[in-house]
Amino acid sequence: MLNLLLKTIWLLIPAYTPNNFAVVFGGGTPIDFGKNFIDGRRILGDGKTIRGFVCGVAGGIFCGILQFNLEKLFGVALFSSLAFSDALVLIASLSLGSLTGDVLGSFIKRRFGLKRGQAFPFFDQLTFLVVAFIFACFSSPFFSQLFTLDVIVVALVLTPILHLLTNYLAYKLRLKDVPW
Ligand code: CTP
Ligand code: MG
């Protein structure tokens, strides 16, 4: 069980870390360029920036490559059970999917009239993960080889808990304005 837990967290690092990189390196021009949607509300809001998106995806891929090499070094075979190029496709689609899901989550939040940073339980914690899985599932023929059903179930249960914990930490470190 502990093994499954650790394996799940390890496999999800390329999907988890993009948001942290976005928090740290984000800012500047918003992805929606400050524009409103037809409902008169912001399309995405100031919390979704181009720099955050690009740095986030790059950061997630960087972590994944680091993991691949650490696995080789310590004789673990998860990402490194694949050829490097296949692992890279899987890692990149998890990172890109994660932040695309994050953008989609904000789009949905704005349509519900929620302000930037306002909490949207479950959506805040799971949209990014579900979209990351969908992206990875369609981009990599090796997705199901690593992300078995038990891993996916643990991921869906564990993620809201981890997400709340890390956001609280980012808030305490004054990286975020609100603890969610
Ligand atoms: N961030 C960014 N660009 C992104 C994603 C995140 O710059 N594509 C940065 C922003 O500074 C953002 C912070 O990371 O405020 C936290 O991200 P998140 O919680 O996803 O955004 P919120 O500000 O809560 O906005 P929303 O209500 O739209 O989720
Ligand atoms: Mg938020």
PDB file of all heavy atoms in Angstrom, residues 79-117:
ATOM      1  N   PHE A  79       9.310   5.643 -14.996  1.00  0.00           N
ATOM      2  CA  PHE A  79       9.463   6.371 -16.267  1.00  0.00           C
ATOM      3  C   PHE A  79      10.582   5.741 -17.097  1.00  0.00           C
ATOM      4  O   PHE A  79      10.493   5.654 -18.311  1.00  0.00           O
ATOM      5  CB  PHE A  79       9.769   7.849 -16.015  1.00  0.00           C
ATOM      6  CG  PHE A  79       8.601   8.628 -15.473  1.00  0.00           C
ATOM      7  CD1 PHE A  79       8.646   9.190 -14.206  1.00  0.00           C
ATOM      8  CD2 PHE A  79       7.445   8.792 -16.232  1.00  0.00           C
ATOM      9  CE1 PHE A  79       7.566   9.901 -13.712  1.00  0.00           C
ATOM     10  CE2 PHE A  79       6.358   9.501 -15.742  1.00  0.00           C
ATOM     11  CZ  PHE A  79       6.420  10.063 -14.471  1.00  0.00           C
ATOM     12  N   SER A  80      11.639   5.313 -16.394  1.00  0.00           N
ATOM     13  CA  SER A  80      12.801   4.780 -17.110  1.00  0.00           C
ATOM     14  C   SER A  80      12.592   3.351 -17.594  1.00  0.00           C
ATOM     15  O   SER A  80      13.499   2.756 -18.177  1.00  0.00           O
ATOM     16  CB  SER A  80      14.052   4.886 -16.243  1.00  0.00           C
ATOM     17  OG  SER A  80      13.956   4.025 -15.138  1.00  0.00           O
ATOM     18  N   SER A  81      11.393   2.795 -17.368  1.00  0.00           N
ATOM     19  CA  SER A  81      11.095   1.515 -18.008  1.00  0.00           C
ATOM     20  C   SER A  81      10.791   1.754 -19.487  1.00  0.00           C
ATOM     21  O   SER A  81      10.731   0.820 -20.276  1.00  0.00           O
ATOM     22  CB  SER A  81       9.907   0.838 -17.318  1.00  0.00           C
ATOM     23  OG  SER A  81       8.715   1.564 -17.539  1.00  0.00           O
ATOM     24  N   LEU A  82      10.599   3.023 -19.836  1.00  0.00           N
ATOM     25  CA  LEU A  82      10.355   3.389 -21.239  1.00  0.00           C
ATOM     26  C   LEU A  82      11.643   3.937 -21.851  1.00  0.00           C
ATOM     27  O   LEU A  82      12.552   4.354 -21.131  1.00  0.00           O
ATOM     28  CB  LEU A  82       9.271   4.483 -21.324  1.00  0.00           C
ATOM     29  CG  LEU A  82       7.938   4.228 -20.613  1.00  0.00           C
ATOM     30  CD1 LEU A  82       7.048   5.460 -20.742  1.00  0.00           C
ATOM     31  CD2 LEU A  82       7.240   2.998 -21.171  1.00  0.00           C
ATOM     32  N   ALA A  83      11.689   3.956 -23.183  1.00  0.00           N
ATOM     33  CA  ALA A  83      12.790   4.643 -23.865  1.00  0.00           C
ATOM     34  C   ALA A  83      12.671   6.124 -23.527  1.00  0.00           C
ATOM     35  O   ALA A  83      11.567   6.616 -23.256  1.00  0.00           O
ATOM     36  CB  ALA A  83      12.679   4.432 -25.367  1.00  0.00           C
ATOM     37  N   PHE A  84      13.797   6.843 -23.521  1.00  0.00           N
ATOM     38  CA  PHE A  84      13.766   8.255 -23.110  1.00  0.00           C
ATOM     39  C   PHE A  84      12.733   9.064 -23.897  1.00  0.00           C
ATOM     40  O   PHE A  84      11.969   9.837 -23.323  1.00  0.00           O
ATOM     41  CB  PHE A  84      15.150   8.898 -23.240  1.00  0.00           C
ATOM     42  CG  PHE A  84      15.149  10.343 -22.837  1.00  0.00           C
ATOM     43  CD1 PHE A  84      15.014  10.707 -21.497  1.00  0.00           C
ATOM     44  CD2 PHE A  84      15.251  11.344 -23.801  1.00  0.00           C
ATOM     45  CE1 PHE A  84      14.988  12.046 -21.122  1.00  0.00           C
ATOM     46  CE2 PHE A  84      15.218  12.684 -23.427  1.00  0.00           C
ATOM     47  CZ  PHE A  84      15.092  13.040 -22.086  1.00  0.00           C
ATOM     48  N   SER A  85      12.696   8.872 -25.226  1.00  0.00           N
ATOM     49  CA  SER A  85      11.770   9.667 -26.050  1.00  0.00           C
ATOM     50  C   SER A  85      10.312   9.354 -25.697  1.00  0.00           C
ATOM     51  O   SER A  85       9.464  10.256 -25.668  1.00  0.00           O
ATOM     52  CB  SER A  85      12.028   9.414 -27.527  1.00  0.00           C
ATOM     53  OG  SER A  85      11.892   8.037 -27.802  1.00  0.00           O
ATOM     54  N   ASP A  86      10.009   8.091 -25.403  1.00  0.00           N
ATOM     55  CA  ASP A  86       8.645   7.721 -25.019  1.00  0.00           C
ATOM     56  C   ASP A  86       8.288   8.294 -23.653  1.00  0.00           C
ATOM     57  O   ASP A  86       7.164   8.760 -23.429  1.00  0.00           O
ATOM     58  CB  ASP A  86       8.492   6.194 -24.993  1.00  0.00           C
ATOM     59  CG  ASP A  86       8.607   5.588 -26.382  1.00  0.00           C
ATOM     60  OD1 ASP A  86       8.219   6.267 -27.357  1.00  0.00           O
ATOM     61  OD2 ASP A  86       9.085   4.444 -26.487  1.00  0.00           O
ATOM     62  N   ALA A  87       9.262   8.266 -22.731  1.00  0.00           N
ATOM     63  CA  ALA A  87       9.048   8.837 -21.404  1.00  0.00           C
ATOM     64  C   ALA A  87       8.821  10.340 -21.519  1.00  0.00           C
ATOM     65  O   ALA A  87       7.948  10.910 -20.851  1.00  0.00           O
ATOM     66  CB  ALA A  87      10.243   8.551 -20.504  1.00  0.00           C
ATOM     67  N   LEU A  88       9.578  10.981 -22.403  1.00  0.00           N
ATOM     68  CA  LEU A  88       9.466  12.430 -22.587  1.00  0.00           C
ATOM     69  C   LEU A  88       8.077  12.821 -23.100  1.00  0.00           C
ATOM     70  O   LEU A  88       7.491  13.807 -22.624  1.00  0.00           O
ATOM     71  CB  LEU A  88      10.554  12.918 -23.555  1.00  0.00           C
ATOM     72  CG  LEU A  88      10.782  14.424 -23.603  1.00  0.00           C
ATOM     73  CD1 LEU A  88      11.180  14.972 -22.230  1.00  0.00           C
ATOM     74  CD2 LEU A  88      11.865  14.766 -24.639  1.00  0.00           C
ATOM     75  N   VAL A  89       7.532  12.051 -24.022  1.00  0.00           N
ATOM     76  CA  VAL A  89       6.186  12.326 -24.545  1.00  0.00           C
ATOM     77  C   VAL A  89       5.164  12.218 -23.413  1.00  0.00           C
ATOM     78  O   VAL A  89       4.295  13.082 -23.245  1.00  0.00           O
ATOM     79  CB  VAL A  89       5.823  11.359 -25.699  1.00  0.00           C
ATOM     80  CG1 VAL A  89       4.342  11.460 -26.056  1.00  0.00           C
ATOM     81  CG2 VAL A  89       6.686  11.645 -26.929  1.00  0.00           C
ATOM     82  N   LEU A  90       5.303  11.170 -22.594  1.00  0.00           N
ATOM     83  CA  LEU A  90       4.385  10.963 -21.473  1.00  0.00           C
ATOM     84  C   LEU A  90       4.502  12.101 -20.460  1.00  0.00           C
ATOM     85  O   LEU A  90       3.501  12.682 -20.028  1.00  0.00           O
ATOM     86  CB  LEU A  90       4.687   9.615 -20.806  1.00  0.00           C
ATOM     87  CG  LEU A  90       3.835   9.226 -19.604  1.00  0.00           C
ATOM     88  CD1 LEU A  90       2.370   9.073 -20.012  1.00  0.00           C
ATOM     89  CD2 LEU A  90       4.333   7.927 -18.981  1.00  0.00           C
ATOM     90  N   ILE A  91       5.734  12.450 -20.098  1.00  0.00           N
ATOM     91  CA  ILE A  91       6.009  13.507 -19.125  1.00  0.00           C
ATOM     92  C   ILE A  91       5.470  14.856 -19.629  1.00  0.00           C
ATOM     93  O   ILE A  91       4.780  15.583 -18.906  1.00  0.00           O
ATOM     94  CB  ILE A  91       7.530  13.598 -18.851  1.00  0.00           C
ATOM     95  CG1 ILE A  91       7.976  12.400 -18.000  1.00  0.00           C
ATOM     96  CG2 ILE A  91       7.903  14.914 -18.172  1.00  0.00           C
ATOM     97  CD1 ILE A  91       9.484  12.151 -18.030  1.00  0.00           C
ATOM     98  N   ALA A  92       5.783  15.168 -20.897  1.00  0.00           N
ATOM     99  CA  ALA A  92       5.365  16.458 -21.463  1.00  0.00           C
ATOM    100  C   ALA A  92       3.848  16.562 -21.542  1.00  0.00           C
ATOM    101  O   ALA A  92       3.278  17.624 -21.274  1.00  0.00           O
ATOM    102  CB  ALA A  92       5.989  16.655 -22.840  1.00  0.00           C
ATOM    103  N   SER A  93       3.173  15.467 -21.876  1.00  0.00           N
ATOM    104  CA  SER A  93       1.711  15.529 -21.983  1.00  0.00           C
ATOM    105  C   SER A  93       1.066  15.644 -20.600  1.00  0.00           C
ATOM    106  O   SER A  93       0.031  16.291 -20.451  1.00  0.00           O
ATOM    107  CB  SER A  93       1.160  14.344 -22.767  1.00  0.00           C
ATOM    108  OG  SER A  93       1.507  13.130 -22.159  1.00  0.00           O
ATOM    109  N   LEU A  94       1.699  15.066 -19.578  1.00  0.00           N
ATOM    110  CA  LEU A  94       1.198  15.240 -18.209  1.00  0.00           C
ATOM    111  C   LEU A  94       1.325  16.708 -17.778  1.00  0.00           C
ATOM    112  O   LEU A  94       0.398  17.282 -17.198  1.00  0.00           O
ATOM    113  CB  LEU A  94       1.975  14.357 -17.228  1.00  0.00           C
ATOM    114  CG  LEU A  94       1.678  12.856 -17.225  1.00  0.00           C
ATOM    115  CD1 LEU A  94       2.712  12.115 -16.388  1.00  0.00           C
ATOM    116  CD2 LEU A  94       0.258  12.574 -16.707  1.00  0.00           C
ATOM    117  N   SER A  95       2.471  17.337 -18.074  1.00  0.00           N
ATOM    118  CA  SER A  95       2.717  18.728 -17.685  1.00  0.00           C
ATOM    119  C   SER A  95       1.807  19.688 -18.444  1.00  0.00           C
ATOM    120  O   SER A  95       1.184  20.573 -17.852  1.00  0.00           O
ATOM    121  CB  SER A  95       4.176  19.121 -17.949  1.00  0.00           C
ATOM    122  OG  SER A  95       5.035  18.328 -17.172  1.00  0.00           O
ATOM    123  N   LEU A  96       1.737  19.491 -19.759  1.00  0.00           N
ATOM    124  CA  LEU A  96       0.896  20.364 -20.590  1.00  0.00           C
ATOM    125  C   LEU A  96      -0.575  20.180 -20.227  1.00  0.00           C
ATOM    126  O   LEU A  96      -1.319  21.160 -20.108  1.00  0.00           O
ATOM    127  CB  LEU A  96       1.143  20.041 -22.073  1.00  0.00           C
ATOM    128  CG  LEU A  96       0.448  20.947 -23.084  1.00  0.00           C
ATOM    129  CD1 LEU A  96       1.017  22.366 -23.000  1.00  0.00           C
ATOM    130  CD2 LEU A  96       0.620  20.415 -24.507  1.00  0.00           C
ATOM    131  N   GLY A  97      -0.982  18.938 -20.023  1.00  0.00           N
ATOM    132  CA  GLY A  97      -2.365  18.656 -19.658  1.00  0.00           C
ATOM    133  C   GLY A  97      -2.723  19.259 -18.314  1.00  0.00           C
ATOM    134  O   GLY A  97      -3.816  19.786 -18.119  1.00  0.00           O
ATOM    135  N   SER A  98      -1.779  19.204 -17.390  1.00  0.00           N
ATOM    136  CA  SER A  98      -2.001  19.751 -16.061  1.00  0.00           C
ATOM    137  C   SER A  98      -2.332  21.245 -16.107  1.00  0.00           C
ATOM    138  O   SER A  98      -3.315  21.692 -15.518  1.00  0.00           O
ATOM    139  CB  SER A  98      -0.743  19.510 -15.215  1.00  0.00           C
ATOM    140  OG  SER A  98      -0.731  20.334 -14.086  1.00  0.00           O
ATOM    141  N   LEU A  99      -1.540  22.014 -16.818  1.00  0.00           N
ATOM    142  CA  LEU A  99      -1.796  23.459 -16.861  1.00  0.00           C
ATOM    143  C   LEU A  99      -2.938  23.824 -17.802  1.00  0.00           C
ATOM    144  O   LEU A  99      -3.593  24.847 -17.620  1.00  0.00           O
ATOM    145  CB  LEU A  99      -0.516  24.225 -17.204  1.00  0.00           C
ATOM    146  CG  LEU A  99       0.415  24.386 -16.000  1.00  0.00           C
ATOM    147  CD1 LEU A  99       1.533  25.367 -16.293  1.00  0.00           C
ATOM    148  CD2 LEU A  99      -0.341  24.841 -14.759  1.00  0.00           C
ATOM    149  N   THR A 100      -3.192  22.975 -18.805  1.00  0.00           N
ATOM    150  CA  THR A 100      -4.370  23.193 -19.643  1.00  0.00           C
ATOM    151  C   THR A 100      -5.630  22.972 -18.795  1.00  0.00           C
ATOM    152  O   THR A 100      -6.588  23.739 -18.886  1.00  0.00           O
ATOM    153  CB  THR A 100      -4.358  22.243 -20.861  1.00  0.00           C
ATOM    154  OG1 THR A 100      -3.129  22.423 -21.563  1.00  0.00           O
ATOM    155  CG2 THR A 100      -5.510  22.534 -21.798  1.00  0.00           C
ATOM    156  N   GLY A 101      -5.590  21.965 -17.960  1.00  0.00           N
ATOM    157  CA  GLY A 101      -6.697  21.704 -17.042  1.00  0.00           C
ATOM    158  C   GLY A 101      -6.875  22.828 -16.045  1.00  0.00           C
ATOM    159  O   GLY A 101      -8.000  23.196 -15.685  1.00  0.00           O
ATOM    160  N   ASP A 102      -5.767  23.403 -15.619  1.00  0.00           N
ATOM    161  CA  ASP A 102      -5.779  24.536 -14.699  1.00  0.00           C
ATOM    162  C   ASP A 102      -6.475  25.740 -15.354  1.00  0.00           C
ATOM    163  O   ASP A 102      -7.292  26.416 -14.730  1.00  0.00           O
ATOM    164  CB  ASP A 102      -4.316  24.864 -14.332  1.00  0.00           C
ATOM    165  CG  ASP A 102      -4.186  26.012 -13.376  1.00  0.00           C
ATOM    166  OD1 ASP A 102      -4.780  25.935 -12.280  1.00  0.00           O
ATOM    167  OD2 ASP A 102      -3.485  26.996 -13.710  1.00  0.00           O
ATOM    168  N   VAL A 103      -6.165  25.970 -16.637  1.00  0.00           N
ATOM    169  CA  VAL A 103      -6.789  27.058 -17.403  1.00  0.00           C
ATOM    170  C   VAL A 103      -8.288  26.777 -17.570  1.00  0.00           C
ATOM    171  O   VAL A 103      -9.121  27.662 -17.367  1.00  0.00           O
ATOM    172  CB  VAL A 103      -6.094  27.216 -18.779  1.00  0.00           C
ATOM    173  CG1 VAL A 103      -6.930  28.047 -19.733  1.00  0.00           C
ATOM    174  CG2 VAL A 103      -4.706  27.831 -18.607  1.00  0.00           C
ATOM    175  N   LEU A 104      -8.608  25.542 -17.908  1.00  0.00           N
ATOM    176  CA  LEU A 104     -10.013  25.146 -18.077  1.00  0.00           C
ATOM    177  C   LEU A 104     -10.778  25.356 -16.761  1.00  0.00           C
ATOM    178  O   LEU A 104     -11.908  25.852 -16.752  1.00  0.00           O
ATOM    179  CB  LEU A 104     -10.093  23.675 -18.519  1.00  0.00           C
ATOM    180  CG  LEU A 104     -11.494  23.088 -18.659  1.00  0.00           C
ATOM    181  CD1 LEU A 104     -12.217  23.709 -19.850  1.00  0.00           C
ATOM    182  CD2 LEU A 104     -11.441  21.569 -18.826  1.00  0.00           C
ATOM    183  N   GLY A 105     -10.117  24.998 -15.652  1.00  0.00           N
ATOM    184  CA  GLY A 105     -10.732  25.172 -14.331  1.00  0.00           C
ATOM    185  C   GLY A 105     -11.064  26.637 -14.066  1.00  0.00           C
ATOM    186  O   GLY A 105     -12.150  26.952 -13.560  1.00  0.00           O
ATOM    187  N   SER A 106     -10.149  27.538 -14.424  1.00  0.00           N
ATOM    188  CA  SER A 106     -10.383  28.967 -14.219  1.00  0.00           C
ATOM    189  C   SER A 106     -11.496  29.474 -15.132  1.00  0.00           C
ATOM    190  O   SER A 106     -12.308  30.316 -14.734  1.00  0.00           O
ATOM    191  CB  SER A 106      -9.099  29.765 -14.475  1.00  0.00           C
ATOM    192  OG  SER A 106      -8.178  29.510 -13.448  1.00  0.00           O
ATOM    193  N   PHE A 107     -11.529  28.959 -16.352  1.00  0.00           N
ATOM    194  CA  PHE A 107     -12.604  29.339 -17.284  1.00  0.00           C
ATOM    195  C   PHE A 107     -13.961  28.977 -16.673  1.00  0.00           C
ATOM    196  O   PHE A 107     -14.882  29.799 -16.657  1.00  0.00           O
ATOM    197  CB  PHE A 107     -12.411  28.621 -18.630  1.00  0.00           C
ATOM    198  CG  PHE A 107     -13.483  28.928 -19.636  1.00  0.00           C
ATOM    199  CD1 PHE A 107     -13.473  30.132 -20.349  1.00  0.00           C
ATOM    200  CD2 PHE A 107     -14.522  28.038 -19.863  1.00  0.00           C
ATOM    201  CE1 PHE A 107     -14.467  30.432 -21.260  1.00  0.00           C
ATOM    202  CE2 PHE A 107     -15.526  28.327 -20.783  1.00  0.00           C
ATOM    203  CZ  PHE A 107     -15.497  29.523 -21.483  1.00  0.00           C
ATOM    204  N   ILE A 108     -14.060  27.770 -16.135  1.00  0.00           N
ATOM    205  CA  ILE A 108     -15.310  27.317 -15.517  1.00  0.00           C
ATOM    206  C   ILE A 108     -15.637  28.174 -14.288  1.00  0.00           C
ATOM    207  O   ILE A 108     -16.778  28.609 -14.101  1.00  0.00           O
ATOM    208  CB  ILE A 108     -15.222  25.821 -15.138  1.00  0.00           C
ATOM    209  CG1 ILE A 108     -15.067  24.949 -16.403  1.00  0.00           C
ATOM    210  CG2 ILE A 108     -16.458  25.379 -14.354  1.00  0.00           C
ATOM    211  CD1 ILE A 108     -14.705  23.493 -16.129  1.00  0.00           C
ATOM    212  N   LYS A 109     -14.603  28.471 -13.475  1.00  0.00           N
ATOM    213  CA  LYS A 109     -14.821  29.290 -12.274  1.00  0.00           C
ATOM    214  C   LYS A 109     -15.379  30.666 -12.630  1.00  0.00           C
ATOM    215  O   LYS A 109     -16.310  31.150 -11.985  1.00  0.00           O
ATOM    216  CB  LYS A 109     -13.501  29.454 -11.491  1.00  0.00           C
ATOM    217  CG  LYS A 109     -13.134  28.242 -10.659  1.00  0.00           C
ATOM    218  CD  LYS A 109     -11.732  28.351 -10.115  1.00  0.00           C
ATOM    219  CE  LYS A 109     -11.651  29.209  -8.857  1.00  0.00           C
ATOM    220  NZ  LYS A 109     -10.287  29.148  -8.257  1.00  0.00           N
ATOM    221  N   ARG A 110     -14.793  31.293 -13.653  1.00  0.00           N
ATOM    222  CA  ARG A 110     -15.262  32.623 -14.060  1.00  0.00           C
ATOM    223  C   ARG A 110     -16.702  32.569 -14.545  1.00  0.00           C
ATOM    224  O   ARG A 110     -17.483  33.485 -14.311  1.00  0.00           O
ATOM    225  CB  ARG A 110     -14.369  33.214 -15.159  1.00  0.00           C
ATOM    226  CG  ARG A 110     -12.904  33.446 -14.802  1.00  0.00           C
ATOM    227  CD  ARG A 110     -12.686  34.395 -13.640  1.00  0.00           C
ATOM    228  NE  ARG A 110     -12.625  33.692 -12.367  1.00  0.00           N
ATOM    229  CZ  ARG A 110     -11.536  33.078 -11.890  1.00  0.00           C
ATOM    230  NH1 ARG A 110     -10.414  33.096 -12.566  1.00  0.00           N
ATOM    231  NH2 ARG A 110     -11.576  32.482 -10.722  1.00  0.00           N
ATOM    232  N   ARG A 111     -17.093  31.478 -15.215  1.00  0.00           N
ATOM    233  CA  ARG A 111     -18.477  31.350 -15.705  1.00  0.00           C
ATOM    234  C   ARG A 111     -19.451  31.225 -14.533  1.00  0.00           C
ATOM    235  O   ARG A 111     -20.605  31.594 -14.644  1.00  0.00           O
ATOM    236  CB  ARG A 111     -18.642  30.147 -16.659  1.00  0.00           C
ATOM    237  CG  ARG A 111     -17.684  30.114 -17.856  1.00  0.00           C
ATOM    238  CD  ARG A 111     -17.950  31.172 -18.920  1.00  0.00           C
ATOM    239  NE  ARG A 111     -17.658  32.535 -18.550  1.00  0.00           N
ATOM    240  CZ  ARG A 111     -16.435  33.084 -18.519  1.00  0.00           C
ATOM    241  NH1 ARG A 111     -15.368  32.388 -18.797  1.00  0.00           N
ATOM    242  NH2 ARG A 111     -16.288  34.353 -18.199  1.00  0.00           N
ATOM    243  N   PHE A 112     -18.959  30.692 -13.407  1.00  0.00           N
ATOM    244  CA  PHE A 112     -19.796  30.596 -12.205  1.00  0.00           C
ATOM    245  C   PHE A 112     -19.731  31.886 -11.396  1.00  0.00           C
ATOM    246  O   PHE A 112     -20.303  31.966 -10.305  1.00  0.00           O
ATOM    247  CB  PHE A 112     -19.363  29.416 -11.331  1.00  0.00           C
ATOM    248  CG  PHE A 112     -19.934  28.094 -11.763  1.00  0.00           C
ATOM    249  CD1 PHE A 112     -19.185  27.203 -12.521  1.00  0.00           C
ATOM    250  CD2 PHE A 112     -21.243  27.744 -11.431  1.00  0.00           C
ATOM    251  CE1 PHE A 112     -19.703  25.977 -12.930  1.00  0.00           C
ATOM    252  CE2 PHE A 112     -21.780  26.525 -11.829  1.00  0.00           C
ATOM    253  CZ  PHE A 112     -21.015  25.646 -12.587  1.00  0.00           C
ATOM    254  N   GLY A 113     -18.998  32.870 -11.911  1.00  0.00           N
ATOM    255  CA  GLY A 113     -18.914  34.152 -11.231  1.00  0.00           C
ATOM    256  C   GLY A 113     -17.947  34.188 -10.060  1.00  0.00           C
ATOM    257  O   GLY A 113     -17.971  35.130  -9.262  1.00  0.00           O
ATOM    258  N   LEU A 114     -17.091  33.173  -9.957  1.00  0.00           N
ATOM    259  CA  LEU A 114     -16.105  33.161  -8.873  1.00  0.00           C
ATOM    260  C   LEU A 114     -14.921  34.047  -9.238  1.00  0.00           C
ATOM    261  O   LEU A 114     -14.423  34.015 -10.362  1.00  0.00           O
ATOM    262  CB  LEU A 114     -15.614  31.737  -8.607  1.00  0.00           C
ATOM    263  CG  LEU A 114     -16.657  30.736  -8.114  1.00  0.00           C
ATOM    264  CD1 LEU A 114     -16.044  29.344  -8.000  1.00  0.00           C
ATOM    265  CD2 LEU A 114     -17.225  31.160  -6.772  1.00  0.00           C
ATOM    266  N   LYS A 115     -14.492  34.867  -8.279  1.00  0.00           N
ATOM    267  CA  LYS A 115     -13.362  35.761  -8.497  1.00  0.00           C
ATOM    268  C   LYS A 115     -12.046  34.985  -8.480  1.00  0.00           C
ATOM    269  O   LYS A 115     -11.967  33.884  -7.942  1.00  0.00           O
ATOM    270  CB  LYS A 115     -13.331  36.834  -7.402  1.00  0.00           C
ATOM    271  CG  LYS A 115     -14.535  37.759  -7.383  1.00  0.00           C
ATOM    272  CD  LYS A 115     -14.157  39.113  -7.940  1.00  0.00           C
ATOM    273  CE  LYS A 115     -15.324  40.069  -8.091  1.00  0.00           C
ATOM    274  NZ  LYS A 115     -16.631  39.513  -8.402  1.00  0.00           N
ATOM    275  N   ARG A 116     -11.000  35.626  -9.028  1.00  0.00           N
ATOM    276  CA  ARG A 116      -9.668  35.030  -9.019  1.00  0.00           C
ATOM    277  C   ARG A 116      -9.259  34.666  -7.595  1.00  0.00           C
ATOM    278  O   ARG A 116      -9.388  35.495  -6.695  1.00  0.00           O
ATOM    279  CB  ARG A 116      -8.647  36.007  -9.585  1.00  0.00           C
ATOM    280  CG  ARG A 116      -7.235  35.508  -9.392  1.00  0.00           C
ATOM    281  CD  ARG A 116      -6.232  36.622  -9.503  1.00  0.00           C
ATOM    282  NE  ARG A 116      -4.894  36.113  -9.220  1.00  0.00           N
ATOM    283  CZ  ARG A 116      -3.797  36.821  -9.361  1.00  0.00           C
ATOM    284  NH1 ARG A 116      -3.859  38.049  -9.794  1.00  0.00           N
ATOM    285  NH2 ARG A 116      -2.639  36.293  -9.064  1.00  0.00           N
ATOM    286  N   GLY A 117      -8.817  33.434  -7.422  1.00  0.00           N
ATOM    287  CA  GLY A 117      -8.340  33.001  -6.116  1.00  0.00           C
ATOM    288  C   GLY A 117      -9.435  32.465  -5.205  1.00  0.00           C
ATOM    289  O   GLY A 117      -9.144  31.860  -4.180  1.00  0.00           O
TER     290      GLY A 117
END
